[in-house]
Structures are given as C-alpha cells and as structure tokens.
Amino acid sequence: MSKQTIAIMGAMPEEVAPILEAIGEYETVEFAKNRYYKANYKGVDVVIAYSKIGKVFSTLTATTMIEHFGATKLLFSGVAGAISPELKVGDIVVATKLSQHDLDITAFGHPFGYVPEGAVYVEADKELIECSKRVASSMGKEVKEGIIATGDQFVADETRKNWIGKEFDAVALEMEGGSVAVVCDSLNIPFFILRSISDAADMDASFSFDEFLESSAIISAEFIIKMLDEIIG
Ligand code: OS5
C-alpha cells in the first residue's frame, strides 16, 4: 500500500490546539497565509491546521492539505450548533451527509442547497463512520449520526435554525463541513466530520458558544485522536 497522510483540520485555533497537544512534536510550515503542522504520529504522517472560519477558508485549507501536503484521508474536528432538541452541549455528532444551507438559486426553480452539476448533499466516508462507531463503543460514548448543514452564518435565531432543520433534515449546523465535503468528494479523498455541540443556535448561542467552545472542542479532539489511533491500527 502506498504511504498515507492523514489530515486533521478544524476552523478555529481552539479546535486544533488539543490535537496538537496530543500529537506532541510537530514542524510548522507556512503556506497560503496559513500555518500547517506536520508530524509523524506512531509511524504515520499527519498534517494539522485550523482554516479560519467559514466556507472559503475551509475550502482553501482542505484543498491545500490534499493537493500540497498529500493528504489521503481528512478528519475534521470542531464544535457545532444543535438543531435537534436531543442534542445538548458536549454531545458528539457524526455527519452522515453535509449540505450548504445558504446556497440559494431557488429563483431558477432549483431546491435550496443545489447548483447545477453539484448536489444538495455530499456523503461522508462510510468506512470512517463505521470506524467512529467502534471508537464510540470503546469509549462507552453515545454518538449521534445525522445530516449537518453548513453556511457562512453564525446562526443565533430559532426561526432560521428550525428552517434549516426542516429544509435539510439536519441535526446540527456549522460553517465549514459542507465546503470541506465538496472538496474531498471532488478530489476523491475519504473524509469524516465530527462536531461536539457548543450551543443551540438560538438567541443565547453566542454566550453558550463563548462558554463552551473550549470544552466542546476538547471533547471532539479527544474522539478524533482515538479515531486516528483506530485508523493507524
Ligand atoms: O467556525 C465557526 C463555526 N463553528 C461552529 C458553530 C456554529 N456555526 C454556526 N452557527 C452556530 N450557532 C454555531 N455554533 C458552533 C464555530 C465558529 C463560529 S464563528 C465564532 C467567531 C467567534 C470569534 N470572533 N472573534 N473571535 C472569536 C476572536 C478572534 C480574534 C482574532 C482572531 C481569531 C479569533
């Protein structure tokens, strides 16, 4: 088998800091106005970065990790706003599919989230989802699987959240997964998006986010490190 390089990305420094801490030693490489952290973890090459917030920066980072750093698999670790009332702060969500809730050419008769030659949903890698189930059971953790909706918008509004939930059948929302999914799907790279809940995307969302960003990011990162261990074998 040819050599693998596993990419681990987040959007914010807080999402990636616990990953870097677990990895321990790494080299910092600057590329395209961002920093990428290269390491050898238990004999496997890894590249880690936070993209900065939103679809454009996360597209740039995912593409760079694949095309410049040679990533053969991509794992995303971070936080999300809950749509499903079952999801509470600190709960873990595994994306089965991702969509872009702010993509709108409905004026031409297309559904929300669709552009010609694209698709409303992009599916995450099934083997990585299976791997996450093994990890969850080894940790004795419950993990919710479901659709995650992405948009360039911090949602802090019950009406908007409920619309996204209904229109896309989504259980959680965030600002990067959908674009990372499009990149990985287009370049044929298996990907996995994990999020731990930081807020309920309602009027209190910004306060909840500020309070729980760090703790929820750690919950997500710990799970991703266990996934890395399982993938490496
Ligand atoms: O990356 C963004 C999406 N993340 C998931 C998320 C989310 N997305 C949409 N709606 C919600 N309700 C969500 N809940 C969780 C989180 C992140 C949200 S945007 C947060 C911006 C906070 C911030 N702004 N300035 N700083 C932090 C400080 C700063 C200053 C300079 C450089 C870097 C940070």
Side-chain angles (χ1 to χ4, degrees):
M1 207 177 92
S2 59
K3 212 160 174 273
Q4 67 171 335
T5 298
I6 300 176
I8 305 179
M9 68 176 282
M12 300 183 70
E14 291 85 348
E15 292 172 326
V16 156
I19 309 262
L20 291 175
E21 205 177 305
I23 296 285
E25 271 182 41
Y26 48 84
E27 174 199 349
T28 305
V29 180
E30 292 210 12
F31 186 84
K33 295 192 178 170
N34 203 0
R35 285 172 300 282
Y36 292 81
Y37 307 99
K38 288 175 63 169
N40 189 277
Y41 178 74
K42 300 183 180 173
V44 172
D45 287 338
V46 292
V47 57
I48 299 155
Y50 72 87
S51 59
K52 296 177 284 230
I53 293 161
K55 293 197 293 180
V56 173
F57 281 129
S58 57
T59 297
L60 174 62
T61 295
T63 306
T64 298
M65 286 174 135
I66 297 164
E67 290 293 307
H68 187 77
F69 291 98
T72 50
K73 272 189 178 60
L74 188 149
L75 313 176
F76 190 106
S77 181
V79 302
I83 298 178
S84 164
E86 280 173 31
L87 285 170
K88 305 295 179 208
V89 166
D91 286 354
I92 291 178
V93 187
V94 166
T96 51
K97 300 194 267 186
L98 296 108
S99 62
Q100 296 180 63
H101 67 72
D102 58 349
L103 188 53
D104 178 358
I105 56 165
T106 56
F108 296 91
H110 297 297
F112 284 103
Y114 177 83
V115 292
E117 302 187 32
V120 176
Y121 298 105
V122 178
E123 278 186 32
D125 184 69
K126 291 202 169 63
E127 278 181 31
L128 289 172
I129 293 175
E130 281 308 311
C131 173
S132 75
K133 288 182 188 166
R134 292 195 294 278
V135 167
S137 87
S138 79
M139 294 174 82
K141 275 212 184 249
E142 264 200 37
V143 164
K144 189 174 178 70
E145 278 180 37
I147 295 167
I148 293 184
T150 299
D152 278 328
Q153 190 175 71
F154 182 81
V155 177
D157 178 86
E158 201 93 31
T159 308
R160 176 75 187 159
K161 165 178 88 165
N162 291 337
W163 178 84
I164 294 167
K166 270 219 161 68
E167 185 64 34
F168 296 96
D169 198 20
V171 298
L173 54 83
E174 34 84 315
M175 302 178 66
E176 298 86 16
S179 40
V180 170
V182 169
V183 169
C184 292
D185 182 61
S186 304
L187 296 171
N188 220 7
I189 295 298
F191 73 94
F192 176 79
I193 312 276
L194 187 86
R195 298 274 183 170
S196 173
I197 299 301
S198 56
D199 59 85
D202 56 8
M203 62 187 289
D204 299 322
S206 60
F207 305 103
S208 179
F209 177 81
D210 282 343
E211 191 175 348
F212 297 111
L213 165 63
E214 200 180 322
S215 56
S216 294
I218 289 171
I219 291 169
S220 176
E222 282 175 350
F223 194 97
I224 284 288
I225 291 293
K226 290 262 172 7
M227 288 241 345
L228 185 58
D229 288 334
E230 174 81 10
I231 293 165
I232 288 169

